[in-house]
Amino acid sequence: MEYKERKAVHENSSGSFGHEFIDEALNEPENEESLHRGLKARQISMIALGGAVGTGLIIGSGTALTRGGPLGILLGYSFVGFVCYLVMVALGEMAAFLPHKKGFAGYATRFVDPALGFALGWNYLLKYLIVTPNNINAAGVVVQYWTRAVHIAIWMVLVVNLLGVRVFGELEFWFSSIKVLALIGLLLMGIIIDLGGNPKHDRIGFRYWKAPNGPMGHFLLSQVKDEQLSVFLGFWSTLTNALFAYIGTELIGVTVGEAENPRRNIPIAIRRTFFRILIFYVGGVFVIGLIVPSTNDSLFVATKSKTGAAASPFVVATTLVGIKVLDHVINGAILIFVMSAANSDLYIGSRTLYGLAVEGKAPRIFARVNKAGVPWPALILCTAFCGLVFLNVGSSSAKVFGWFVNLVSTFGAITWMCIAYSHIAFMKAMKAHGMSRDDLPYKAPFQPWGSWFALISTIIITLFKGFDTFIPFKADTFVTSYIGIPIFLLLWAGYKVVYKTRVIPPKHVDLVTGLRAIDEEEERFIAEQEAKGPQSGFKKFWDSL
């Protein structure tokens, strides 16, 4: 039966198909306790950009450059960027078909197993409980360039989120717009410096790609005593840094519940977001490799306690060529970067907890929303975890940053694996129901092998990402590198034992429930837009951004 015929069966759900496959527990929450659909495509793509382009590129790239060298960091970020793209399009296909308000944990519950949905939801929440203080900690690292009296701006982020989704979306759009302009400025600055447009009139070219700075770096050479192995370990460590840098792009799957006309806007946002991030990340690390030698002692490395100018390779680059004052401007822009990322992360964390509560997988109180559609109890709990940033009182900011990177990259990698596996199950269910992917609102490219490639690649990177904790063994980094895996397995196994759930066979996967409400919502939105009359040229341009 084709997709359109199946929808018709659903609309007249008195037939056997309707009774057998419709699960009312999968319906959307009532309007009075529901999120509001107020995010436009430009806001969704900018929110994703705001959450993803943060410390991974601006600060963490210093570690990757030191260990992998200019070519190693370029290859590492390019490979993980491709994996990220495969995860994004898989998520986009599911989200465009069923843009529900339960995040991608809802897809795992629906297409694979409720236990997987429970474990994924809490895993993703744990990631955002950690990543928000990580960005605030990074802001502290940046501020220490000017003063040691660091004020942690938790309350500013809280107030912005309490204003409601429309205000949040617009503010984050402008925050991220500043990010985009600053990133373009940084890339242009790097190219100009490389071509000789600096106070020293020194044309650098590919000088730093040659020995002893490149093209590949050496990592743990003194421990492994093998140059070829140390080069490989240096490249492998860039994959871990790149994974941390790209993690956050998947948050579009959480904004689905608050997107206007999601079947149109989500695929648009996914395409825009990925290409923007790919340009900024791959372009960014390429430029960094041109203008900063990988052997420079000033680069930020998570095992050292340097702060300030060492926080970003871009700041180091201006210092090396003798450009004055600009380092303060860049430092200010970086501060906006990380606070914007914290703002975006707090938003996603609260919506993830809300989604779990709506499904009955978290205390019911977290499903409450105010008149603006803000899940305020969930927001308050997520904000409370920002206090983790004060770990840097006992240890250096750089060391705490390293712990947070390990935790976030593990939780984020598990999320990517679950999205890819949910999409594989979704494709199997469609085949079992006789549905063609050609009838979907958005059809992901490179499938079905793309999701399998993303799943296997992410598993391998995750299992071996903490290799340096054994050379020599370091308990704190070992725990933070791998604790996410047993936590996820315990959540999955615990739910399975308590509720005795089973993996859903493809032919029994519910591909119907909730479609009618989403179709009606889409029709209402289109009717409202048509009633407003044709858009002006400026309005069309503005919404296309």
Side-chain angles (χ1 to χ4, degrees):
M1 189 184 293
E2 295 298 324
Y3 173 60
K4 291 177 182 176
E5 294 171 336
R6 201 162 287 273
K7 281 174 66 180
V9 171
H10 169 51
E11 287 163 4
N12 304 295
S13 55
S14 57
S16 60
F17 176 83
H19 286 301
E20 185 179 351
F21 289 98
I22 293 178
D23 180 358
E24 292 304 321
L26 295 175
N27 277 319
E28 295 287 82
E30 297 297 324
N31 285 336
E32 61 268 17
E33 59 177 27
S34 179
L35 303 174
H36 294 185
R37 290 197 184 275
L39 293 178
K40 303 180 188 301
R42 64 180 174 86
Q43 293 171 336
I44 296 166
S45 57
M46 282 298 191
I47 289 167
L49 193 65
V53 179
T55 55
L57 173 62
I58 301 304
I59 295 177
S61 55
T63 305
L65 178 60
T66 299
R67 294 175 178 175
L71 179 59
I73 190 175
L74 180 62
L75 292 174
Y77 275 67
S78 298
F79 177 79
V80 179
F82 180 62
V83 173
C84 172
Y85 173 69
L86 295 174
V87 173
M88 290 284 285
V89 295
L91 176 59
E93 184 169 289
M94 294 187 292
F97 172 72
L98 187 71
H100 63 200
K101 300 182 180 182
K102 299 169 184 176
F104 33 72
Y107 298 126
T109 296
R110 190 174 185 126
F111 304 141
V112 185
D113 181 0
L116 185 69
F118 174 81
L120 172 58
W122 278 99
N123 170 82
Y124 202 60
L125 176 62
L126 287 170
K127 179 214 160 184
Y128 276 97
L129 293 179
I130 297 295
V131 78
T132 310
N134 179 50
N135 278 311
I136 297 172
N137 177 62
V141 172
V142 172
V143 170
Q144 284 174 346
Y145 185 55
W146 297 306
T147 176
R148 291 282 173 172
V150 181
H151 176 67
I152 306 299
I154 297 174
W155 300 112
M156 183 198 81
V157 181
L158 173 64
V159 170
V160 170
N161 274 272
L162 280 173
L163 291 173
V165 65
R166 286 185 187 275
V167 177
F168 164 80
E170 202 59 38
L171 279 172
E172 190 57 35
F173 173 76
W174 286 106
F175 263 141
S176 294
S177 297
I178 293 171
K179 258 189 186 179
V180 171
L181 292 173
L183 278 168
I184 292 170
L186 289 173
L187 292 178
L188 288 174
M189 179 201 75
I191 293 167
I192 291 167
I193 287 174
D194 184 67
L195 294 176
N198 56 70
K200 295 182 179 179
H201 304 292
D202 180 16
R203 187 183 175 95
I204 301 168
F206 282 85
R207 183 188 308 161
Y208 298 142
W209 283 54
K210 299 171 184 175
N213 299 301
M216 302 296 287
H218 295 86
F219 184 41
L220 300 174
L221 179 59
S222 59
Q223 283 89 349
V224 298
K225 314 272 189 223
D226 184 323
E227 187 172 354
Q228 296 302 317
L229 179 58
S230 74
V231 168
F232 174 76
L233 294 178
F235 164 71
W236 191 265
S237 69
T238 67
L239 297 180
T240 304
N241 275 90
L243 182 67
F244 169 72
Y246 281 103
I247 281 168
T249 52
E250 76 289 330
L251 61 78
I252 280 181
V254 184
T255 65
V256 167
E258 294 177 88
E260 289 181 349
N261 195 11
R263 285 190 172 146
R264 172 186 172 273
N265 285 339
I266 293 299
I268 291 173
I270 280 177
R271 282 194 294 267
R272 287 178 188 167
T273 302
F274 172 73
F275 287 110
R276 284 172 182 170
I277 289 173
L278 188 64
I279 290 166
F280 289 136
Y281 271 109
V282 176
V285 297
F286 175 68
V287 168
I288 288 167
L290 289 176
I291 58 176
V292 182
S294 61
T295 53
N296 188 283
D297 289 334
S298 298
L299 283 170
F300 181 93
V301 178
T303 54
K304 298 179 182 176
S305 58
K306 293 176 184 266
T307 55
S312 171
F314 290 107
V315 178
V316 174
T318 60
T319 307
L320 286 173
V321 293
I323 299 175
K324 297 179 180 178
V325 181
L326 195 58
D327 57 337
H328 294 286
V329 176
I330 295 172
N331 226 46
I334 292 168
L335 186 59
I336 293 174
F337 275 37
V338 293
M339 290 312 297
S340 164
N343 185 42
S344 189
D345 294 338
L346 193 55
Y347 162 83
I348 295 299
S350 60
R351 270 54 179 186
T352 301
L353 182 53
Y354 164 85
L356 285 167
V358 165
E359 284 194 307
K361 292 171 180 170
R364 190 67 190 168
I365 188 173
F366 295 117
R368 292 183 183 178
V369 297
N370 62 18
K371 290 181 180 178
V374 177
W376 59 271
L379 181 59
I380 288 171
L381 179 71
C382 293
T383 305
F385 272 80
C386 290
L388 285 173
V389 75
F390 293 105
L391 281 170
N392 63 21
V393 174
S395 300
S396 74
S397 295
K399 193 169 187 179
V400 172
F401 182 84
W403 293 341
F404 284 159
V405 166
N406 286 335
L407 287 167
V408 169
S409 57
T410 304
F411 289 135
I414 290 170
T415 301
W416 283 14
M417 292 178 218
C418 291
I419 291 172
Y421 190 70
S422 297
H423 184 244
I424 291 166
F426 172 66
M427 289 187 290
K428 285 181 178 178
M430 289 195 69
K431 190 174 181 180
H433 286 281
M435 294 170 65
S436 170
R437 290 178 60 242
D438 293 328
D439 294 323
L440 292 173
Y442 172 69
K443 183 181 177 183
F446 306 118
Q447 301 302 338
W449 68 264
S451 289
W452 279 109
F453 182 80
L455 176 64
I456 295 166
S457 298
T458 311
I459 287 172
I460 293 170
I461 294 171
T462 306
L463 289 178
F464 294 101
K465 78 183 189 69
F467 68 89
D468 55 321
T469 64
F470 298 96
I471 318 172
F473 182 76
K474 297 182 285 290
D476 57 344
T477 49
F478 172 77
V479 170
T480 53
S481 289
Y482 290 110
I483 196 170
I485 297 172
I487 287 174
F488 176 81
L489 292 175
L490 282 172
L491 287 167
W492 172 75
Y495 192 90
K496 222 165 173 50
V497 169
V498 172
Y499 292 96
K500 297 178 173 59
T501 64
R502 293 183 180 181
V503 174
I504 306 168
K507 65 179 180 180
H508 291 146
V509 168
D510 184 349
L511 295 174
V512 174
T513 305
L515 287 180
R516 181 191 297 172
I518 291 163
D519 289 343
E520 289 172 354
E521 207 170 60
E522 186 177 27
E523 288 167 7
R524 277 197 304 272
F525 176 82
I526 292 169
E528 287 170 8
Q529 295 303 108
E530 289 175 351
K532 290 177 183 177
Q535 289 184 320
S536 65
F538 176 76
K539 179 69 175 170
K540 287 179 180 176
F541 166 75
W542 186 246
D543 284 342
S544 70
L545 290 175

